Amino acid sequence: MKLQRNGRSKALAIGAMALVSSLSLAACGSDNNTNSTASGGNSGSAAPASAINCGKPGSLIAAGSTAQGAAMDVWKTSFAAACSGTTINYQGGGSGAGIQQFNQGKIQFAGSDSALKPAEVDASKAVCTGGQGIDLPMVGGLISLVYNVDGVDNLVLDGPTAAKIFDSQITKWNDPAIAALNPGAKLPDTEIQTFHRSDDAGTTENLTKYFAAAGGGAWSYPAGKAWAGKGGQSANGSAGVSAQVKQVKNSISYVELAYAQTNSLKSAAINTGASKPVAATAENAASTIGKAQAAGTGSDLALKLDYATKEEGSYPLVLITYEIVCDKGNKAETLDTLKSFLTYTASDAGQKAVGEKGYVPLPKTVTDKVNGVIATLA
């Protein structure tokens, strides 16, 4: 299904925000997108100044997830416009790199598309004096299986077939498994060119969690940030793989919805076992995210997603993008700015602004909890 960057796409995202906000939580771009400071870069839907409590002027340095790069640009632009003297510098590099820099004490927070693992929490205690790193869910995302195949506009894949494609077990576009999911489609007798992330990425981890849950055993590797499948070519960041798919015929990769829209890439629908394939839309992702289960304890708000969902209209390839901070032991000179900025990103205005960019705003039941924890950071 091809998603266009027009009024319809904006309406879909806003509609998704309304839908996901009504759900209760069960049991509880381009290269510029990742390398700009608060005073420049992408334009976005600026929040009214009244929606932002600036706190003390200051400067924050952060890094990590490229999936949230476009969202971070919107948030930085709005915050800088409202808060004179404050700058937010967010560098990409992937979730793994962000967590590594956070645990080295080089940045004030990290963006990650997967929650901290126990070993990463233990490592964080060295820089979070008297505390540890925690996960704050900040916005939802949708992972699109983006493809570039002439004459194929409505590709359908399922978990086992997608896993085999990305592991080079299926190598031709007219393979019987793909043909069975796409009756009537003119699939070419050409080699499939897959692209995967070269950097350690939470997007990769979420994709491989989907393969593990819905791949019917076709994916034999542990889910993780580092790519483990056979074959294919690699590119850095969401912007890198998006650019490759746009340029290379008969290719396929995985990127967040915002990058699919920005690059006008076609996204495959997913056969989940529901009555019809589920399109890669913000509303369908909202249905899945709204049913996330609480996985963290205490001030850690990590969520567990159902990648094997078969519910009607629930798109399974989703992610939660987190901001990782110290619950205690934050640097005194940046703590006020950190709390002010994160409070804005988790606010109704902050969530609405990125909802217009292809992200999936989190339910208010989640953002209320996030803001409750932000207030306690020390």
Side-chain angles (χ1 to χ4, degrees):
M1 176 179 178
K2 188 171 184 177
L3 298 176
Q4 302 292 337
R5 295 180 67 201
N6 55 19
R8 178 176 180 271
S9 197
K10 182 176 179 180
L12 284 175
I14 296 173
M17 185 187 76
L19 169 63
V20 76
S21 295
S22 69
L23 298 170
S24 61
L25 178 68
C28 218
S30 67
D31 288 333
N32 290 340
N33 289 344
T34 58
N35 293 287
S36 59
T37 63
S39 59
N42 233 354
S43 62
S45 299
S50 60
I52 298 175
N53 180 1
C54 297
K56 299 176 182 177
S59 177
L60 295 178
I61 301 175
S65 161
T66 62
Q68 65 173 261
M72 194 60 67
D73 272 338
V74 171
W75 288 330
K76 292 186 303 182
T77 298
S78 296
F79 199 78
C83 304
S84 177
T86 294
T87 60
I88 315 294
N89 188 316
Y90 183 87
Q91 300 292 319
S95 300
I99 292 171
Q100 183 180 44
Q101 291 179 64
F102 177 79
N103 282 342
Q104 293 171 342
K106 295 179 178 179
I107 56 178
Q108 281 74 63
F109 70 92
S112 178
D113 308 320
S114 58
L116 290 167
K117 291 179 170 57
E120 293 168 336
V121 174
D122 288 342
S124 73
K125 295 176 182 178
V127 294
C128 300
T129 306
Q132 65 181 47
I134 57 171
D135 302 286
L136 299 179
M138 201 55 70
V139 71
L142 178 160
I143 302 173
S144 294
L145 298 181
V146 290
Y147 64 98
N148 180 354
V149 183
D150 287 341
V152 180
D153 295 323
N154 298 289
L155 182 68
V156 175
L157 296 173
D158 61 12
T161 305
K164 290 176 182 177
I165 289 172
F166 280 96
D167 194 35
S168 298
Q169 299 175 46
I170 291 176
T171 59
K172 290 285 191 76
W173 276 111
N174 64 346
D175 186 275
I178 302 176
L181 292 165
N182 296 272
K186 294 182 179 179
L187 299 166
D189 182 18
T190 55
E191 296 288 329
I192 299 172
Q193 176 60 65
T194 62
F195 287 98
H196 56 265
R197 293 278 292 273
S198 59
D199 51 315
D200 286 0
T203 311
T204 297
E205 183 168 3
N206 282 276
L207 175 74
T208 53
K209 283 180 178 178
Y210 165 70
F211 287 161
W219 190 258
S220 60
Y221 317 99
K225 296 183 183 71
W227 184 254
K230 296 177 183 177
Q233 296 185 28
S234 64
N236 187 64
S238 298
V241 293
S242 297
Q244 290 298 320
V245 173
K246 190 165 187 175
Q247 294 169 9
V248 178
K249 296 293 185 184
N250 302 311
S251 62
I252 187 169
S253 189
Y254 55 96
V255 297
E256 299 72 35
L257 178 62
Y259 287 89
Q261 291 179 347
T262 299
N263 292 279
S264 300
L265 296 173
K266 293 178 282 191
S267 299
I270 304 295
N271 183 332
T272 63
S275 64
K276 60 182 180 179
V278 184
T281 68
E283 296 104 320
N284 293 340
S287 176
T288 305
I289 291 172
K291 298 178 179 68
Q293 301 285 323
T297 58
S299 57
D300 188 282
L301 300 179
L303 301 174
K304 182 179 180 181
L305 297 163
D306 183 5
Y307 300 97
T309 180
K310 295 182 180 180
E311 292 197 24
E312 299 293 332
S314 289
Y315 185 84
L317 254 172
V318 295
L319 59 82
I320 301 292
T321 184
Y322 297 93
E323 310 310 339
I324 293 170
V325 298
C326 294
D327 58 356
K328 296 181 179 64
N330 291 284
K331 294 180 180 179
E333 61 269 27
T334 55
L335 178 59
D336 190 70
T337 306
L338 175 68
K339 293 169 74 171
S340 297
F341 179 66
L342 295 181
T343 296
Y344 160 59
T345 64
S347 70
D348 290 346
Q351 292 288 298
K352 179 180 179 181
V354 296
E356 296 170 1
K357 294 294 182 180
Y359 293 89
V360 182
L362 297 177
K364 199 168 188 307
T365 50
V366 178
T367 55
D368 283 349
K369 291 178 185 292
V370 170
N371 276 311
V373 172
I374 292 170
T376 70
L377 299 181

